[in-house]
Amino acid sequence: MTRHPLAWCAWATAALAAALIDRNPYLQGLLLLVVINVFLPYRGPRRLTSWKFGLALAVVPVIFSAALSRFGRHLLFTLPPIPIIGGRWTLDAVAFGASTGLALLLTVAVFGVLHTTVRSADLVAILPRPLYRAGTTVALALAFAPKTVASFHSIRQSRHLRGQRASWRSAPELLLPLLLTTLEHALQYGESLDARGFGSGRRSRYRPSRWTVPDLLVVIASLAAIGAMAVFPAAPYNAYLNLAPTVPRPGSLLGIALLAVPAVTASLSRMDHARHHA
Amino acid sequence: MTITTTARLSAAGAAAIAAALLAAHPVHAAVHHAALVIQHTSGSLITRCVAFAEEQINGLQLVQRSGVEYEAQSFGSIGSAMCQLDQEPLTVPPGCFGSGPYWQYFHRQGSDWQASVVGASSSVLHDGDIDGWRYAAGANQAPGSISFAAVCGAPPPPIAATRAPSATGSIRPAPVQAVPLPPATPTPATSLEAFAPSAAPSRNAVLASTGPNQPPRAAAIVPWLALGGTAILLLTLGAINLRRRGP
């Protein structure tokens, strides 16, 4: 059921384009359904982190827009003249924030699906030769962020076990071991790269990625989705100008529906697999 | 569920989407009307009723289609400001606004005028909306109170009941200053043109078209059907994938 990394990249590009271009709530809702559908076959017990992060991120624009914007025709309530938040709170501002929040959620969700389905090593392996070293460096740098966070948590936990409370005064005592641990990790990375002959030439692959018919279908559908978005652009949505969104044209819907092809192919291949074992 | 069932499901989905796309051929959309109210410094009031085929137009399009002379200046995403309207002021002041009176822009909300937060080219008008302009100094100088019916007349009876049996395609008869309608031709027109009406407080906007006159509701329901069909397909696919365990 694994897809070629390039097929996933094509899908992610088309899905991100849809998430960032289409602000029509109907299309955003459909795109969310599509991304959930694509995610479901690859879900695991610990794969919901990006969704939780996306949901938390999506709430922020709603709060900021509702609290800070005084424009709009559909009044929810009026607060007394308190600095910053006082005045008219409107439904238009909430809808505008929700539209922005949904776009953020979709962006995070698409990257979450990509993170779940594609290994960074596979992505680096398909890079063109001139970009291989730079790609490896970027992949390592990206891998460093969760490692550093994990180190921070373990240092703080070990301090708690010793009965030391965490406060801003204890920041140097936290940061110094964190810096040393990070440097140690960097040295380990360097040594492991050296041991694997990094820089001596392109690495061979033990199990090369092969193109299959479903992979090609995903790529063709993604390209067609981008084409449909260009040919049938959705009417722009601005909650302040018109709270009720316009119903998208069938062409725009087709662009979104084509992005569900990975979910369909995954579903079909699972059925094939199940029938084979039956 | 077998692979055959899923294949049939997918084929049905594809057929539904294809049918929706094929059904979305150009047909005449519903005819909408918006009112324009212009009040000069002298207090004289000009009203126009403008017909449009689109779901919505902006305030600048309303002025353009009303036939009233105007001079506008764009202010980017905020929209266009009106520098001169119906020859007032006689010369466009520097920077569009000048230092004295200026054209103030309002939308009718119920029985009140509300100052527009955006310029004319960024505002959105639907069927039954009223835009107001008043040339005055000082903020929030709204035009005089006026209703949509006073500008465009009473709402018409259902189109099905008033449709003329002739093939001219005239959706709404024009009592005053009716523009002669072109004879029917076998080639369907893809757009409707709104003609500039007079200042008379009557429904005096005429739409002329040469295509077959079809009920607008049939055209309006197609996008909803396509949207609902796509959503149902995605929910079905989600339910199938949800029933199966992850990798």
Side-chain angles (χ1 to χ4, degrees):
Chain A
M1 203 172 60
T2 50
R3 296 273 87 85
H4 196 280
L6 273 180
W8 279 120
C9 287
W11 178 83
T13 307
L16 280 176
L20 297 174
I21 292 170
D22 294 334
R23 287 298 181 87
N24 185 306
Y26 292 124
L27 290 180
Q28 284 185 315
L30 281 183
L31 185 60
L32 189 63
L33 269 178
V34 165
V35 177
I36 290 171
N37 265 310
V38 174
F39 171 76
L40 278 176
Y42 302 93
R43 71 189 184 278
R46 300 176 69 182
R47 303 285 169 88
L48 291 172
T49 317
S50 60
W51 287 91
K52 287 176 186 168
F53 175 69
L55 277 173
L57 202 64
V59 177
V60 175
V62 180
I63 296 170
F64 267 81
S65 179
L68 301 179
S69 171
R70 297 289 158 263
F71 295 111
R73 300 175 189 177
H74 303 83
L75 184 69
L76 286 175
F77 53 87
T78 306
L79 283 184
I82 307 164
I84 300 176
I85 60 165
R88 301 168 77 244
W89 284 52
T90 62
L91 187 61
D92 311 57
V94 174
F96 186 83
S99 173
T100 311
L102 204 50
L104 283 175
L105 170 65
L106 285 167
T107 308
V108 173
V110 169
F111 275 112
V113 170
L114 202 64
H115 179 67
T116 309
T117 51
V118 183
R119 290 171 59 234
S120 55
D122 291 338
L123 273 180
V124 171
I126 57 168
L127 282 174
R129 201 176 183 83
L131 295 176
Y132 178 68
R133 287 190 187 187
T136 310
T137 312
V138 170
L140 281 177
L142 289 175
F144 241 79
K147 273 273 186 189
T148 310
V149 173
S151 300
F152 178 78
H153 283 304
S154 63
I155 291 166
R156 203 175 57 171
Q157 204 170 12
S158 50
R159 282 177 58 82
H160 280 169
L161 287 172
R162 290 190 210 107
Q164 295 163 325
R165 285 185 176 181
S167 67
W168 64 272
R169 286 180 183 172
S170 62
E173 294 162 16
L174 272 170
L175 289 178
L176 191 63
L178 182 66
L179 182 68
L180 290 172
T181 316
T182 313
L183 281 172
E184 199 176 330
H185 281 152
L187 285 172
Q188 282 174 357
Y189 270 123
E191 282 172 6
S192 60
L193 282 171
D194 198 29
R196 287 170 172 82
F198 178 71
S200 59
R202 197 179 179 85
R203 285 181 66 189
S204 59
R205 285 182 63 83
Y206 174 66
R207 209 175 280 167
S209 303
R210 295 191 190 285
W211 284 95
T212 58
V213 174
D215 291 337
L216 288 173
L217 273 178
V218 170
V219 172
I220 291 167
S222 303
L223 293 176
I226 292 173
M229 277 182 262
V231 176
F232 307 105
Y237 174 71
N238 188 334
Y240 290 113
L241 299 178
N242 189 9
L243 189 61
T246 52
V247 188
R249 289 180 297 171
S252 305
L253 293 176
L254 182 68
I256 301 293
L258 282 169
L259 293 172
V261 167
V264 177
T265 55
S267 180
L268 289 174
S269 63
R270 278 160 164 245
M271 285 167 186
D272 275 347
H273 190 69
R275 204 168 61 157
H276 180 73
H277 280 271
Chain B
M1 185 177 286
T2 62
I3 192 167
T4 318
T5 315
T6 310
R8 281 177 186 165
L9 199 67
S10 307
I17 292 171
L21 282 172
L22 287 172
H25 57 81
V27 292
H28 291 299
V31 182
H32 309 296
H33 292 82
L36 175 68
V37 178
I38 299 167
Q39 188 171 347
H40 287 279
T41 321
S42 61
S44 64
L45 207 66
I46 292 177
T47 58
R48 294 282 190 275
C49 180
V50 173
F52 53 98
E54 303 95 321
E55 278 296 314
Q56 59 187 43
I57 57 171
N58 63 45
L60 194 62
Q61 286 173 321
L62 181 71
V63 175
Q64 282 168 347
R65 297 182 190 191
S66 72
V68 175
E69 182 277 334
Y70 76 96
E71 184 77 38
Q73 184 176 326
S74 174
F75 284 85
S77 59
I78 300 172
S80 298
M82 203 57 76
C83 312
Q84 186 187 51
L85 202 51
D86 196 27
Q87 301 293 341
E88 181 160 22
L90 284 174
T91 53
V92 176
C96 187
F97 295 111
S99 56
Y102 60 97
W103 281 107
Q104 303 188 19
Y105 186 31
F106 296 87
H107 305 294
R108 193 74 173 168
Q109 294 288 315
S111 57
D112 297 317
W113 288 107
Q114 191 180 44
S116 178
V117 293
V118 290
S121 60
S122 295
S123 66
V124 176
L125 285 108
H126 296 96
D127 189 31
D129 283 349
I130 313 178
D131 260 13
W133 293 90
R134 185 174 177 190
Y135 194 70
N140 276 329
Q141 301 290 317
S145 184
I146 195 163
S147 68
F148 181 78
V151 181
C152 289
I159 288 172
T162 58
R163 192 186 307 153
S166 67
T168 53
S170 172
I171 292 173
R172 188 169 295 163
V176 186
Q177 299 180 1
V179 177
L181 298 174
T185 59
T187 315
T190 54
S191 65
L192 299 172
E193 289 294 330
F195 289 85
S198 76
S202 61
R203 183 173 290 278
N204 45 12
V206 177
L207 287 169
S209 69
T210 54
N213 203 0
Q214 295 193 11
R217 286 187 182 184
I221 204 165
V222 171
W224 283 108
L225 281 177
L227 179 69
T230 313
I232 288 169
L233 278 175
L234 288 173
L235 286 171
T236 311
L237 185 64
I240 292 168
N241 282 326
L242 196 63
R243 281 182 61 191
R244 297 168 188 280
R245 286 181 302 155

